Structure formats: structure tokens, C-alpha cells
Amino acid sequence: MASPGTTETRGSDFARLASKIAEAGLLNRRPVYYATRLTVLALAYFGCWTLFAWVGDSWLQLLVAAVLAVVFAQIGFFSHDLGHRQVFRTRRASDIAGRVLGNLCIGLGWGWWNTKHNRHHANPNHEDHDPDVSPAVIVWSTGQAENSRGLPRFIAKYQAYWFFPLLTLEAWHLHIASFKALLQPSAKSRGLELTLLVAHAALYLGFVFTVLPVGKALLFLVVHQGLFGLYLGSTFAPNHKGMPVLTKEDKLDFLRKQVLTSRNVRGGVFTDVALGQLNYQIEHHLFPNMPAPNLRKAQPIVQQYCAEIGVSYLQTGLFDSYGQALGHLHEVGAPLR
């Protein structure tokens, strides 16, 4: 892989690629696709809750919880596309839909997550600027591992083994972080978003504990939220984990910063749907406002262009991507072992 520390910048490289993509019409909006996808999601969401009410007091509700976890994650993917304005042209329409789907339907703060995700896109895998590689429970570089204390230091020793079990807590973390962000006076649309989050919690918990006895209700929550977090985390892990982690010494132009820190996952239609089409992570990072169904068409153009200009372009299978990510996490923890 080309070194991420090069100081040479070639802004015109991205301009030429962008011209090729625009000429292919891949930045054009796809209203029919997104209308169809939203309709399917709405039917699946309300269908799952209807099934939940119909099944009633039964252990079969654990299967409903598993299916509902998938639907929640798919709504999260759609909200992601809204945040990048792939669906609607205006910010107002995107914000309205994002708050309804994010805050009200799945209980994740739209404003907080959108701000955090935009910071990630601006500086992917950057130790100082990307919130997705900031050391919390998991550490992402040997420097972070050596400076860790307490629980992160304990986990970092064998964090590759802890990674997927910890993802079962990811949904709870996102819910709590959403509420915490809205407690800050500087939060935008604070009242509206907080009201929608509280409404989600009241409706969600109220419905579950009304239909199920306490024991089954608690188990339903554990299964549903655990699988929801595991699914979300498992779809985002292949994208950047195990790729070069940048520091302030690394000076890269836009194209190289996005390509060298991202990894694509090859596959067919099933893989595209399962990963929310974020398996085309390189293309998505280069053109974040490109409609999701166009990413597959952009992939060969971007890959060929990177080969022409000598930029390393990484694409692997799904399980190989997990192996690379977990291998990196284990290597990072080596000094502590």
C-alpha cells in the first residue's frame, strides 16, 4: 500500500475523476429508487410491530426481535443516505425525514449523529479528528493503547476477541449518546429532537411492556437492541478498521485521504443490501452525495482511475475484511501483552 505519509498533493487528480463520474451521470438523483425503498421500509417497520402485537405473550417474540433489529438497521442506512442528501435536494426535507426515521422510529439522534458522521468524512481514520477512531473502550493505534488507562487498557490487550461481543452494546451506546448530546445547550433543534427521542422511548418501551410480561419484555429488549447494535457495527467495521490510521504528520490530498483509509467489500446484490451499499466505501467517501444505487456503477471507474494514477485501492471479501480489522486490533494491543 502507498504510504499515507506523503506530503505531495495532487488536487487535480480528484477533479479529473469527478469529471468522469459526472459525465457518466452517476451523481443524478434516484427518486423512484428511494421512494420504493422507503415504502418497503415503512411496510417492514409497521409489519414487524403488527406481528409483535399478534404473537403476544410468546417466546416466538425473540424471532420478532431479531427481524426488527434488521429493520431498525436498514432504517439507519436510509437515514445515513438522508444525511448525505442523496435522497432530497434540500436540507430541510432531509432533516424532517431524518428526524422522523432516526429520532422517532429507531431512537437515534439525527443532529448528533449527522454532525459526528460529517466529521468522520472530513478526516477518516485520523487520530485527532475522526470521532470513529477516538479511544473509548476500543483503541485503534499503538499510541492510543500505550496511553490508555483503566477499562480500555484492560480490554485493549485482547480487544480483537472483545470486539464483536462489545458490538451488542453499541445500540445502547448510541441511544445514550443521542440523549447526552441533546442535553447540551448548543444542540440544534434541541427541543424537537429531544421530544421525538422521548416519544420513541415511551412508545417503544410502553408497547413492549404492555404486550409482554416483565421477564420476556426485558429479554426482548436485550435481543433486539443487542442484534441491532451488532448488525450496525458489523456493517461499519469492514469500511475503515485495519486501514492506515492518520496523524497530524500525514499530509494527503482529498482523493488519497479518502481512498487510502477506506476498504471496499466485494459481493453481489445480497451483500449490497445487507451492508446498506456501504460496501462501496471508497466511492462513497469520494462522492458522499452520490445515490447509493449508483455506487456499484462508479466502482469500476474509480478502481481503474486509481490504478492509472498509482493509488492503492483495496477491495476484499467480507470475511477477509473482518480478518484484517481484527488482526489490526490484535496488533495494536500487542505492546500491552
Side-chain angles (χ1 to χ4, degrees):
M1 176 176 292
S3 169
T6 177
T7 58
E8 185 176 1
T9 59
R10 308 179 183 89
S12 59
D13 283 344
F14 176 72
R16 286 192 291 270
L17 175 60
S19 178
K20 292 176 180 287
I21 294 295
E23 288 174 4
L26 297 179
L27 298 177
N28 297 339
R29 298 189 182 279
R30 299 286 298 273
V32 175
Y33 163 83
Y34 277 113
T36 303
R37 183 174 164 189
L38 183 58
T39 300
V40 171
L41 284 176
L43 290 173
Y45 183 81
F46 290 109
C48 281
W49 285 120
T50 301
L51 180 63
F52 176 84
W54 180 75
V55 171
D57 182 2
S58 168
W59 291 110
L60 291 174
Q61 293 287 20
L62 299 184
L63 296 178
V64 178
V67 175
L68 194 59
V70 174
V71 174
F72 266 46
Q74 288 292 331
I75 291 175
F77 296 150
F78 194 96
S79 300
H80 166 272
D81 292 3
L82 284 167
H84 287 295
R85 293 206 223 171
Q86 297 174 17
V87 184
F88 300 110
R89 189 176 302 277
T90 66
R91 181 181 297 277
R92 177 177 173 80
S94 300
D95 285 346
I96 291 173
R99 286 174 182 135
V100 170
L101 292 177
N103 294 56
L104 184 60
C105 290
I106 62 175
L108 300 186
W110 166 256
W112 162 75
W113 184 85
N114 215 21
T115 299
K116 170 179 173 290
H117 191 63
N118 286 336
R119 289 171 55 203
H120 157 71
H121 265 266
N123 290 283
N125 263 28
H126 195 291
E127 267 193 346
D128 301 320
H129 304 300
D130 183 355
D132 290 351
V133 293
S134 60
V137 178
I138 297 291
V139 295
W140 308 102
S141 69
T142 53
Q144 290 179 349
E146 291 168 354
N147 293 325
S148 62
R149 297 291 182 271
L151 182 62
R153 188 174 183 87
F154 171 77
I155 289 179
K157 293 181 181 180
Y158 298 100
Q159 61 182 359
Y161 300 98
W162 284 100
F163 183 70
F164 283 108
L166 285 172
L167 287 181
T168 61
L169 302 176
E170 178 64 11
W172 297 108
H173 162 70
L174 294 173
H175 293 312
I176 293 170
S178 297
F179 272 104
K180 286 178 63 177
L182 289 172
L183 295 179
Q184 302 297 322
S186 59
K188 295 181 179 179
S189 302
R190 182 184 180 194
L192 174 59
E193 291 214 16
L194 191 56
T195 298
L196 291 173
L197 279 182
V198 171
H200 168 82
L203 291 170
Y204 174 74
L205 295 175
F207 195 29
V208 170
F209 280 94
T210 297
V211 172
L212 298 177
V214 173
K216 286 179 182 173
L218 291 174
L219 190 56
F220 179 91
L221 296 181
V222 169
V223 172
H224 176 230
Q225 295 295 331
L227 292 179
F228 177 31
L230 179 62
Y231 183 12
L232 277 183
S234 297
T235 58
F236 284 101
N239 300 339
H240 301 281
K241 308 315 178 193
M243 300 302 290
V245 177
L246 306 181
T247 67
K248 59 185 177 181
E249 282 76 29
D250 298 308
K251 308 296 182 183
L252 297 175
D253 65 302
F254 177 79
L255 184 145
R256 286 162 180 78
K257 179 166 61 175
Q258 303 299 337
V259 174
L260 295 177
T261 60
S262 302
R263 177 197 295 110
N264 274 19
V265 176
R266 69 172 66 91
V269 174
F270 176 80
T271 302
D272 291 359
V273 173
L275 300 184
Q277 297 177 97
L278 295 175
N279 46 315
Y280 303 104
Q281 191 66 193
I282 294 173
E283 289 71 32
H284 171 59
H285 261 259
L286 288 170
F287 304 97
N289 63 335
M290 179 184 291
N294 291 348
L295 293 171
R296 172 181 277 274
K297 299 176 182 178
Q299 189 274 329
I301 299 174
V302 174
Q303 185 176 26
Q304 180 179 349
Y305 184 75
C306 286
E308 290 173 359
I309 63 174
V311 173
S312 179
Y313 180 106
L314 181 59
Q315 181 171 233
T316 71
L318 180 61
F319 293 106
D320 190 24
S321 72
Y322 288 140
Q324 292 178 24
L326 294 176
H328 170 76
L329 291 177
H330 196 61
E331 182 181 347
V332 164
L336 303 182
R337 294 193 297 274

